[in-house]
């Protein structure tokens, strides 16, 4: 019979630290979303759509919720001009949700206001941040060399910014 080893003190400490960072981030994320007149769920949808247009069903899968919930969130974002629905160029039966220019700018402002995410990371060098990113990706089963989709959200790519 195989025995499972109990996590050691270091593993418990690392897990606790990750949990505290995530909790701090979620609290501030909700506050930053509210400053943009968004709910946390709306901000999460907008964050995903600011990266790329996504079919509605895949959006629900990414958020791990029912498609009807996503429809309501996208409806509210669309009514504010932050997202739009468009036909998928590869399959016109599929509707893609996509961030508008206003939605991308709103998402950028939200991300820029996330102090808890930025300040602790600012204490690390670029090399340390890359190492942390690669370790987190490895923990999630992703390859360390996965293209960095978040570079697209840098200040230089936001419409209307110098």
């Amino acid at each position: 019979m195989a025995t499972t080893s109990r996590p050691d003190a270091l593993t418990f400490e690392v897990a606790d630290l990750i949990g505290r960072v995530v909790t701090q981030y979620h609290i501030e994320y909700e506050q930053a979303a509210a400053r943009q007149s968004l709910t946390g769920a709306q901000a999460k949808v907008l964050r995903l759509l600011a990266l790329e247009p996504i079919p509605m069903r895949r959006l629900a899968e990414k958020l791990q919720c029912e498609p009807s919930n996503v429809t309501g969130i996208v409806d509210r974002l669309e009514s504010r001009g932050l997202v739009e629905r468009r036909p998928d160029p590869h399959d016109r039966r599929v509707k893609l949700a996509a961030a508008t220019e206003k939605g991308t700018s709103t998402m950028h402002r939200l991300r820029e206001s996330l102090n808890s995410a930025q300040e602790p990371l600012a204490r690390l060098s670029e090399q340390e941040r890359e190492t942390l990113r690669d370790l987190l990706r490895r923990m999630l089963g992703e390859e360390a060399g996965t293209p960095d989709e978040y570079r697209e959200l840098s200040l230089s790519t936001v419409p209307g910014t110098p």
Side-chain angles (χ1 to χ4, degrees), residues 51 130 133 137 144-153:
L51 296 172
E130 288 174 353
R133 178 202 59 204
R137 284 180 174 169
T146 302
D148 192 1
E149 61 196 20
Y150 296 99
R151 290 186 198 272
E152 295 177 22
L153 294 177

Side-chain angles (χ1 to χ4, degrees), residues 29 42-54 59 77 82-83 97-111 149-154 157-159:
Y29 194 85
Q42 290 170 339
K44 289 173 187 171
V45 168
L46 192 56
R47 176 182 55 85
L48 291 170
L49 298 179
L51 296 172
E52 65 178 337
I54 301 174
L59 191 55
L77 292 171
L82 300 174
V83 302
T100 61
E101 186 174 312
K102 180 179 175 183
T104 301
S105 295
T106 299
M107 190 65 234
H108 182 74
R109 284 192 307 276
L110 188 152
R111 289 178 68 87
E149 61 196 20
Y150 296 99
R151 290 186 198 272
E152 295 177 22
L153 294 177
S154 68
T157 64
V158 175

Side-chain angles (χ1 to χ4, degrees), residues 21-41:
V21 168
V22 168
T23 298
Q24 181 180 353
Y25 179 79
H26 278 290
I27 290 168
E28 188 165 337
Y29 194 85
E30 293 283 333
Q31 293 169 345
R35 286 191 296 273
Q36 300 300 321
S37 300
L38 298 169
T39 66

